[in-house]
Amino acid sequence: MAGKTLFEKIWQAHVVEEVAGGPSILYIDRHLIHEVTSPQAFAGIEKRGVPLFRPDKTVATADHNVPTKNQHLPIKDPLSRSQVEALVSNCERHGVELYGLGHPYQGIVHVIGPELGITQPGMTIVCGDSHTSTHGAFGCIAFGIGTSEVEQVFSTQCILQSKPKTMRITVDGELQPGVGAKDIILHIIARLSTSGGTGYFVEFAGSAIRSLSMEGRMTVCNMSIEMGARGGMIAPDQTTFDYLQGRPFAPSGAAWQQKLDYWQTLYSDADAQFDKEVYFDAAEIEPMITYGTNPAMGVAVDKPLPAANGDQSFAKALDYMQFKPGEALLGKPVDYVFIGSCTNSRIEDLRQVAAIVKGRQKAPHVTAWIVPGSKQVEEQARQEGIDKILAEAGFELREPGCSACLAMNEDKIPAGKYCVSTSNRNFEGRQGPGARTLLASPATAAVAAITGKITDIRDFID
Amino acid sequence: MEAFRKIISKAAPLPLENIDTDQIIPARFLKATTRAGFGDNLFRDWRYDEQGNPQPDFILNKVHDAAILVAGKNFGCGSSREHAAWAIYDYGFRVVVSSFFADIFKNNALNNGLLPVQVSEAFLQELFDAIAADPEQLLEVDLEKQTIAVPGTGKSETFDINPYKKHCLLNGLDDIDFLLSKKAAIEAYERERALYGGIKQEVTP
Ligand code: SF4
């Protein structure tokens, strides 16, 4: 009998029942919720008159719609305020643990789950947010769901899911200096397209993936959704266990050893079959940047844009960005730099930025925002003196939230302005109506802030 | 959820690929805590200029009574926001046709009585051509038979749908009713096979 994939092992352990000719009933270990995609689901169960089935497996935070300045003051925008207040009262009424504004654990939902040890290998994790794929970095089946599905989990701790196909993406070899996790995933998406992963659950493997820190692995899994995949995952190893041990909600004592024994069984067997396999050579990956209006429109930062190809969507994207086919991006002026989002707002990202900007100044015309992923990240940055380094370089360290990643609150990039952003989506208007987003790594974003233009990190560090 | 069987309607063509949920409903309109009213902001930034005036060239400002949206490949990619499906439905569409749908969007649509019809690349082009030739062209979508047809040109194609989802849609049933009926099995799973307890359970105080 052929071996099993990591995905298969976890999936099988969570199937309650298979529906004839239909999806499976999948049991969910952890349900993360936030203010934007939960109110209609709370309203739904109340209308049906069913209780929240397993409140102790649910955790809430406020992140999408919160200001990143003066969080101690009442939220100014009345609609945002009422949405955040609805989360507070819904959680109170249904007995859900809430790490809301002002709580030392508050932050972006995909940052706090891992850092609190709520995310653990072998789990099924869902959240009404597509970047739930982030948690797959720990060897979980984690994926984003819609609000109707949030209501399914509220009422039964299960959702109906059709089993996806499996794909393994292997990245072997050594990364060049200046190239990091964000470049790996932007490179992969540029090759596979925004729909290359649709219908699949992806496992990332290979020596280049193994060599990444947990933060880097989260960056990779985070963006697996941008190639259309249902989610991404990486088999847990010593890096994973070291990261988890001692976190507030990680198992401890005898429970730790018991869980560890289980976690060590979580890998794809040598003879496991995937529906699709793709290989990349790490040495070929260069610092990446996007030039268009979907995350697959990326190039190595020193390479020219593709030539015109008669495609209407391509032409529309370049027109929106005001770039010309075939031209080079290096040296193009930048107006904003945004370092944040669930892709790149962890302490390691902030440390990397601090190391680059230390003793330097941002270009005068650039507005540089750094938005930590959580209160804990913010606190740690202060303890390590990163806040001072950033302030001296002219960067503004704000309070945790999704911020300019999706421009739901007041953190918006003005129309027509160029923003080098460490977030995950460069869709038209994603960072504000008319805003032009170039996705890149924290390192590439940091050097763009210093020089005021698109810069190759490799020229900068040499 | 409303049941869906068959529809004959005009169609609104949107021949662009990779239409993402941020275009369908921009994030700044997601602040409501109810499901109603999102249709007003469907395709907001394509439909209106910055002052809120309708953009005369955008299709929804030209065709007002179509219940079928026909769009390019990889429709609904991006965020998981169900608001995208709500906005399309609330606006009045009951069917979206494309040659490819993003996963989460497809699920969200089906959970709200909006039928995603996936057709071949060639048939999609035929649809765009037929509508371009005659904007009043009617399309016929029959869920029971799983067919989409253009009576005016005589062309048609069959489409796939998960049998469980088809049953739900034909009968206006939703997943939650179904799951609630499985409570006993779920509780048995928890007793016998669940791997993890509550969030705080594994932590020795
Ligand atoms: S940071 Fe951006 S991508 Fe991540 S959860 Fe928030 S809005 Fe979504």
PDB file of all heavy atoms in Angstrom, chain A residues 440-458:
ATOM      1  N   ALA A 440       6.662  43.208  -2.299  1.00  0.00           N
ATOM      2  CA  ALA A 440       8.071  42.827  -2.204  1.00  0.00           C
ATOM      3  C   ALA A 440       8.367  42.352  -0.795  1.00  0.00           C
ATOM      4  O   ALA A 440       7.501  42.369   0.084  1.00  0.00           O
ATOM      5  CB  ALA A 440       8.961  44.009  -2.570  1.00  0.00           C
ATOM      6  N   SER A 441       9.604  41.930  -0.582  1.00  0.00           N
ATOM      7  CA  SER A 441      10.032  41.462   0.733  1.00  0.00           C
ATOM      8  C   SER A 441      10.277  42.659   1.648  1.00  0.00           C
ATOM      9  O   SER A 441      10.434  43.790   1.188  1.00  0.00           O
ATOM     10  CB  SER A 441      11.339  40.689   0.588  1.00  0.00           C
ATOM     11  OG  SER A 441      12.376  41.598   0.251  1.00  0.00           O
ATOM     12  N   PRO A 442      10.349  42.412   2.966  1.00  0.00           N
ATOM     13  CA  PRO A 442      10.674  43.505   3.884  1.00  0.00           C
ATOM     14  C   PRO A 442      12.017  44.160   3.541  1.00  0.00           C
ATOM     15  O   PRO A 442      12.164  45.377   3.656  1.00  0.00           O
ATOM     16  CB  PRO A 442      10.742  42.813   5.252  1.00  0.00           C
ATOM     17  CG  PRO A 442       9.886  41.604   5.109  1.00  0.00           C
ATOM     18  CD  PRO A 442      10.033  41.172   3.689  1.00  0.00           C
ATOM     19  N   ALA A 443      12.998  43.355   3.117  1.00  0.00           N
ATOM     20  CA  ALA A 443      14.306  43.923   2.793  1.00  0.00           C
ATOM     21  C   ALA A 443      14.208  44.857   1.593  1.00  0.00           C
ATOM     22  O   ALA A 443      14.734  45.980   1.606  1.00  0.00           O
ATOM     23  CB  ALA A 443      15.296  42.793   2.509  1.00  0.00           C
ATOM     24  N   THR A 444      13.515  44.427   0.548  1.00  0.00           N
ATOM     25  CA  THR A 444      13.358  45.262  -0.647  1.00  0.00           C
ATOM     26  C   THR A 444      12.549  46.518  -0.324  1.00  0.00           C
ATOM     27  O   THR A 444      12.848  47.610  -0.819  1.00  0.00           O
ATOM     28  CB  THR A 444      12.697  44.439  -1.777  1.00  0.00           C
ATOM     29  OG1 THR A 444      13.576  43.366  -2.107  1.00  0.00           O
ATOM     30  CG2 THR A 444      12.417  45.266  -3.009  1.00  0.00           C
ATOM     31  N   ALA A 445      11.552  46.368   0.547  1.00  0.00           N
ATOM     32  CA  ALA A 445      10.756  47.533   0.951  1.00  0.00           C
ATOM     33  C   ALA A 445      11.620  48.511   1.742  1.00  0.00           C
ATOM     34  O   ALA A 445      11.548  49.730   1.532  1.00  0.00           O
ATOM     35  CB  ALA A 445       9.558  47.078   1.785  1.00  0.00           C
ATOM     36  N   ALA A 446      12.448  47.979   2.626  1.00  0.00           N
ATOM     37  CA  ALA A 446      13.286  48.848   3.454  1.00  0.00           C
ATOM     38  C   ALA A 446      14.258  49.661   2.595  1.00  0.00           C
ATOM     39  O   ALA A 446      14.415  50.868   2.803  1.00  0.00           O
ATOM     40  CB  ALA A 446      14.052  48.016   4.481  1.00  0.00           C
ATOM     41  N   VAL A 447      14.893  49.022   1.610  1.00  0.00           N
ATOM     42  CA  VAL A 447      15.841  49.789   0.791  1.00  0.00           C
ATOM     43  C   VAL A 447      15.115  50.797  -0.099  1.00  0.00           C
ATOM     44  O   VAL A 447      15.643  51.875  -0.374  1.00  0.00           O
ATOM     45  CB  VAL A 447      16.788  48.906  -0.059  1.00  0.00           C
ATOM     46  CG1 VAL A 447      17.753  48.159   0.827  1.00  0.00           C
ATOM     47  CG2 VAL A 447      16.045  47.968  -0.974  1.00  0.00           C
ATOM     48  N   ALA A 448      13.895  50.465  -0.508  1.00  0.00           N
ATOM     49  CA  ALA A 448      13.120  51.432  -1.307  1.00  0.00           C
ATOM     50  C   ALA A 448      12.822  52.680  -0.477  1.00  0.00           C
ATOM     51  O   ALA A 448      12.841  53.804  -0.988  1.00  0.00           O
ATOM     52  CB  ALA A 448      11.829  50.797  -1.803  1.00  0.00           C
ATOM     53  N   ALA A 449      12.575  52.482   0.808  1.00  0.00           N
ATOM     54  CA  ALA A 449      12.297  53.632   1.675  1.00  0.00           C
ATOM     55  C   ALA A 449      13.540  54.513   1.808  1.00  0.00           C
ATOM     56  O   ALA A 449      13.449  55.738   1.812  1.00  0.00           O
ATOM     57  CB  ALA A 449      11.841  53.150   3.053  1.00  0.00           C
ATOM     58  N   ILE A 450      14.700  53.885   1.899  1.00  0.00           N
ATOM     59  CA  ILE A 450      15.946  54.635   2.090  1.00  0.00           C
ATOM     60  C   ILE A 450      16.311  55.415   0.815  1.00  0.00           C
ATOM     61  O   ILE A 450      16.620  56.594   0.865  1.00  0.00           O
ATOM     62  CB  ILE A 450      17.109  53.657   2.420  1.00  0.00           C
ATOM     63  CG1 ILE A 450      16.772  52.824   3.654  1.00  0.00           C
ATOM     64  CG2 ILE A 450      18.432  54.395   2.548  1.00  0.00           C
ATOM     65  CD1 ILE A 450      17.030  53.455   4.963  1.00  0.00           C
ATOM     66  N   THR A 451      16.258  54.723  -0.326  1.00  0.00           N
ATOM     67  CA  THR A 451      16.694  55.382  -1.565  1.00  0.00           C
ATOM     68  C   THR A 451      15.574  56.190  -2.208  1.00  0.00           C
ATOM     69  O   THR A 451      15.822  57.032  -3.047  1.00  0.00           O
ATOM     70  CB  THR A 451      17.171  54.344  -2.600  1.00  0.00           C
ATOM     71  OG1 THR A 451      16.064  53.471  -2.883  1.00  0.00           O
ATOM     72  CG2 THR A 451      18.335  53.523  -2.063  1.00  0.00           C
ATOM     73  N   GLY A 452      14.330  55.892  -1.831  1.00  0.00           N
ATOM     74  CA  GLY A 452      13.201  56.604  -2.436  1.00  0.00           C
ATOM     75  C   GLY A 452      12.847  56.083  -3.816  1.00  0.00           C
ATOM     76  O   GLY A 452      12.052  56.661  -4.533  1.00  0.00           O
ATOM     77  N   LYS A 453      13.457  54.970  -4.199  1.00  0.00           N
ATOM     78  CA  LYS A 453      13.137  54.390  -5.505  1.00  0.00           C
ATOM     79  C   LYS A 453      13.312  52.875  -5.461  1.00  0.00           C
ATOM     80  O   LYS A 453      13.886  52.342  -4.498  1.00  0.00           O
ATOM     81  CB  LYS A 453      14.015  55.004  -6.594  1.00  0.00           C
ATOM     82  CG  LYS A 453      15.465  54.989  -6.260  1.00  0.00           C
ATOM     83  CD  LYS A 453      16.235  55.940  -7.157  1.00  0.00           C
ATOM     84  CE  LYS A 453      17.717  55.717  -6.897  1.00  0.00           C
ATOM     85  NZ  LYS A 453      18.563  56.838  -7.150  1.00  0.00           N
ATOM     86  N   ILE A 454      12.845  52.220  -6.486  1.00  0.00           N
ATOM     87  CA  ILE A 454      12.958  50.765  -6.511  1.00  0.00           C
ATOM     88  C   ILE A 454      14.427  50.393  -6.671  1.00  0.00           C
ATOM     89  O   ILE A 454      15.102  50.867  -7.586  1.00  0.00           O
ATOM     90  CB  ILE A 454      12.077  50.173  -7.622  1.00  0.00           C
ATOM     91  CG1 ILE A 454      10.611  50.467  -7.263  1.00  0.00           C
ATOM     92  CG2 ILE A 454      12.314  48.676  -7.751  1.00  0.00           C
ATOM     93  CD1 ILE A 454       9.637  50.182  -8.355  1.00  0.00           C
ATOM     94  N   THR A 455      14.880  49.563  -5.741  1.00  0.00           N
ATOM     95  CA  THR A 455      16.310  49.311  -5.602  1.00  0.00           C
ATOM     96  C   THR A 455      16.535  47.811  -5.457  1.00  0.00           C
ATOM     97  O   THR A 455      15.713  47.109  -4.870  1.00  0.00           O
ATOM     98  CB  THR A 455      16.812  50.029  -4.322  1.00  0.00           C
ATOM     99  OG1 THR A 455      16.513  51.425  -4.447  1.00  0.00           O
ATOM    100  CG2 THR A 455      18.306  49.849  -4.110  1.00  0.00           C
ATOM    101  N   ASP A 456      17.652  47.356  -5.996  1.00  0.00           N
ATOM    102  CA  ASP A 456      18.009  45.947  -5.837  1.00  0.00           C
ATOM    103  C   ASP A 456      18.750  45.774  -4.519  1.00  0.00           C
ATOM    104  O   ASP A 456      19.821  46.341  -4.327  1.00  0.00           O
ATOM    105  CB  ASP A 456      18.899  45.531  -7.022  1.00  0.00           C
ATOM    106  CG  ASP A 456      19.124  44.022  -7.068  1.00  0.00           C
ATOM    107  OD1 ASP A 456      19.071  43.384  -5.991  1.00  0.00           O
ATOM    108  OD2 ASP A 456      19.341  43.491  -8.172  1.00  0.00           O
ATOM    109  N   ILE A 457      18.185  45.004  -3.611  1.00  0.00           N
ATOM    110  CA  ILE A 457      18.778  44.815  -2.292  1.00  0.00           C
ATOM    111  C   ILE A 457      20.217  44.308  -2.408  1.00  0.00           C
ATOM    112  O   ILE A 457      21.069  44.616  -1.578  1.00  0.00           O
ATOM    113  CB  ILE A 457      17.892  43.862  -1.428  1.00  0.00           C
ATOM    114  CG1 ILE A 457      18.524  43.494  -0.079  1.00  0.00           C
ATOM    115  CG2 ILE A 457      17.543  42.584  -2.136  1.00  0.00           C
ATOM    116  CD1 ILE A 457      18.427  44.523   0.962  1.00  0.00           C
ATOM    117  N   ARG A 458      20.520  43.583  -3.485  1.00  0.00           N
ATOM    118  CA  ARG A 458      21.869  43.027  -3.630  1.00  0.00           C
ATOM    119  C   ARG A 458      22.905  44.125  -3.862  1.00  0.00           C
ATOM    120  O   ARG A 458      24.053  44.002  -3.460  1.00  0.00           O
ATOM    121  CB  ARG A 458      21.912  42.011  -4.782  1.00  0.00           C
ATOM    122  CG  ARG A 458      21.118  40.756  -4.443  1.00  0.00           C
ATOM    123  CD  ARG A 458      20.902  39.892  -5.659  1.00  0.00           C
ATOM    124  NE  ARG A 458      20.106  40.580  -6.678  1.00  0.00           N
ATOM    125  CZ  ARG A 458      19.589  39.985  -7.738  1.00  0.00           C
ATOM    126  NH1 ARG A 458      19.790  38.703  -7.937  1.00  0.00           N
ATOM    127  NH2 ARG A 458      18.868  40.672  -8.600  1.00  0.00           N
TER     128      ARG A 458
END
